[in-house]
Amino acid sequence: MATYKRILKNKPNANGTLPIIFRVYKDDLNSEFSTPFRIQKSQWDVNNLLVKSNYQGYKGINDTLNQISNKLAVVINRLESEGNFFTAKDIVEELKKGFIDKKSRKITNFIEILGELKKTKNAGSANVIRDTINKLKQYRGDDIPVSTINYEFVKGYSDFLSVTHIGGLGARMRDLRARYNEAVKLELIDDLKPFKHYSIKVNKNKRRIAITKEEIDKFFAFKYDEYPRYKLSYLTFVFSYYSAGMNFTDVCKLKKGQIGDELSYKRSKTSKPIKVPLYERTKEVLKELLTIPKENNSYVFPYLSDFHKSDVQINNRIKKTRTQYNKDIKFIAGKVGITANLTSYVVRHSFATILYQSGVPVELIKELLGHENVAITEAYLKEFSTEAMKQLTEQYL
């Protein structure tokens, strides 16, 4: 008798997410049916074998998982009723055929496929896909047949973005490639290998992300008493730096109950628990925050309120406040003589880079940043100047 089970595999990828699969069993042998869904371990309900509601796209994923279960039951019942010999692999192959036939009849427009993928994502990923959809529509309109997505399409889209949009070309092309590959894996489309001869260019002269310790000290020397309107953004920058480069989104979401003898929170990006020492400078910032008017709620910073309940409301609010925050810290930078282009991302990169230049082991920096592996941390640290590397290595020569 053939059976099957939904499984969250225990081998994570680079960002710590785990794949959801179906494992089919028959006659002491098994075969796997992969889905395109990857989630954190904490987002999986081990009792009901479903995605928990703490993942925004859980409803769409669970509906698809239930559809696959129903289809598997039908396939197994049909093969058993026919009375012929079959294996677990045969069941999986029959299941794949059913999905290919169904999808190919219904969706031939790549824009629609992206829309279906967006439904299964959390708010952050859904926003990225929405941006890709909008850019593709600007390039080719609302109807883009899957059969037209080849090398010429990809190269033309890349050229279109480089002319019409300033910055973000690499990120947008990587997202298009990721979504295309996801659709192939789900067998929504046949793989025409449109990226085979296209390489996503990396600008070797890209702007510096991290700033130096001297520049950090300049920023800290800013007298916000002279410019009270910038006080909150100044305190946010300082707090983020001394909280191991805490991401702006996590700063906004930070609640009073997460602060004790240390900071304890979950990264919004990965859901990984993070613990950071509570330094004296951090305590000073928290004390100073009490002088800034805010609603009486559980948030530490006055960016969010009890009005912001849904993920959409929270993300929209954070996006809006981040824009103003970036403008404010650029103003402060100009006042203290920092020429680098400051953004909310600079703090995190600067924290990691300054620690590394000071001789702190990468493994410790990895833990403070909450990265899943050292490779991700090293990506933060690969923009050293020759002089910085010289200063760091001279002590060992």
Side-chain angles (χ1 to χ4, degrees), residues 36 55-57 117-123 125-126 129 179 182:
Y55 185 91
Q56 190 192 19
L117 294 178
K118 182 168 67 71
K119 294 177 183 178
T120 68
K121 306 299 181 184
N122 60 29
S125 296
I129 297 178
R179 303 312 159 195
E182 185 177 355

Side-chain angles (χ1 to χ4, degrees), residues 103 106-118 129 132-137 139-150 153-154 157 172-185 188-192 194-195:
K103 299 296 182 181
K106 286 192 173 181
I107 304 179
T108 59
N109 182 2
F110 190 62
I111 295 295
E112 292 182 34
I113 291 174
L114 290 176
E116 291 299 313
L117 294 178
K118 182 168 67 71
I129 297 178
T132 295
I133 291 173
N134 290 336
K135 297 300 182 293
L136 285 171
K137 285 182 176 180
Y139 174 53
R140 282 285 181 88
D142 294 342
D143 188 5
I144 301 178
V146 171
S147 59
T148 66
I149 301 178
N150 50 24
F153 178 96
V154 170
Y157 180 59
R172 289 191 171 101
M173 294 306 295
R174 281 191 292 272
D175 186 67
L176 176 63
R177 182 177 62 186
R179 303 312 159 195
Y180 185 90
N181 290 339
E182 185 177 355
V184 169
K185 187 174 181 180
L188 298 175
I189 61 177
D190 293 326
D191 191 359
L192 301 177
F195 289 90

Side-chain angles (χ1 to χ4, degrees), residues 314-330:
I314 290 172
N315 286 317
N316 287 342
R317 176 61 181 168
I318 291 174
K319 183 178 180 180
K320 182 177 180 180
T321 55
R322 183 190 289 113
T323 299
Q324 186 59 53
Y325 171 70
N326 284 336
K327 290 180 180 178
D328 289 353
I329 61 177
K330 283 179 172 63

Side-chain angles (χ1 to χ4, degrees), residues 275-387:
K275 290 185 178 181
V276 180
L278 199 64
Y279 301 105
E280 287 303 315
R281 191 72 175 93
T282 318
K283 294 177 183 178
E284 292 173 8
V285 171
L286 292 172
K287 184 178 179 180
E288 195 62 26
L289 277 172
L290 297 176
T291 66
I292 298 178
K294 69 181 287 289
E295 291 184 11
N296 184 21
N297 55 43
S298 58
Y299 291 108
V300 175
F301 286 80
Y303 294 117
L304 295 174
S305 69
D306 292 336
F307 170 79
H308 307 104
K309 298 183 184 300
S310 70
D311 286 341
V312 172
Q313 288 176 317
I314 290 172
N315 286 317
N316 287 342
R317 176 61 181 168
I318 291 174
K319 183 178 180 180
K320 182 177 180 180
T321 55
R322 183 190 289 113
T323 299
Q324 186 59 53
Y325 171 70
N326 284 336
K327 290 180 180 178
D328 289 353
I329 61 177
K330 283 179 172 63
F331 172 87
I332 295 173
K335 287 296 180 182
V336 299
I338 298 174
T339 58
N341 180 36
L342 292 199
T343 69
S344 59
Y345 299 104
V346 167
V347 188
R348 188 167 174 82
H349 285 265
S350 300
F351 171 82
T353 301
I354 290 169
L355 283 188
Y356 188 65
Q357 289 175 334
S358 302
V360 177
V362 177
E363 281 289 347
L364 176 56
I365 300 174
K366 163 186 167 292
E367 290 302 315
L368 287 169
L369 293 177
H371 288 159
E372 292 296 331
N373 56 61
V374 172
I376 299 175
T377 309
E378 288 174 339
Y380 271 67
L381 307 172
K382 64 184 180 182
E383 296 181 14
F384 287 127
S385 65
T386 303
E387 181 61 27

Side-chain angles (χ1 to χ4, degrees), residues 17-35:
T17 56
L18 303 165
I20 302 173
I21 68 162
F22 281 77
R23 186 167 291 154
V24 180
Y25 305 88
K26 187 176 186 296
D27 300 332
D28 298 324
L29 297 176
N30 66 77
S31 184
E32 294 181 358
F33 176 79
S34 298
T35 77

Side-chain angles (χ1 to χ4, degrees), residues 57-112:
Y58 78 101
K59 288 184 178 178
I61 294 179
N62 289 339
D63 286 345
T64 302
L65 295 179
N66 287 333
Q67 289 174 20
I68 295 173
S69 291
N70 293 337
K71 185 69 175 178
L72 265 172
V74 170
V75 169
I76 290 173
N77 184 61
R78 178 172 59 80
L79 291 176
E80 289 180 342
S81 65
E82 289 174 354
N84 298 321
F85 174 78
F86 64 94
T87 65
K89 186 176 181 180
D90 293 328
I91 296 172
V92 171
E93 290 303 315
E94 287 296 312
L95 177 66
K96 289 180 179 179
K97 289 179 183 178
F99 274 94
I100 293 171
D101 292 342
K102 180 181 177 183
K103 299 296 182 181
S104 63
R105 286 197 307 270
K106 286 192 173 181
I107 304 179
T108 59
N109 182 2
F110 190 62
I111 295 295
E112 292 182 34

Side-chain angles (χ1 to χ4, degrees), residues 187-203:
E187 299 186 324
L188 298 175
I189 61 177
D190 293 326
D191 191 359
L192 301 177
K193 302 188 183 303
F195 289 90
K196 183 177 181 180
H197 300 292
Y198 175 84
S199 59
I200 297 175
K201 297 178 181 178
V202 177
N203 183 3

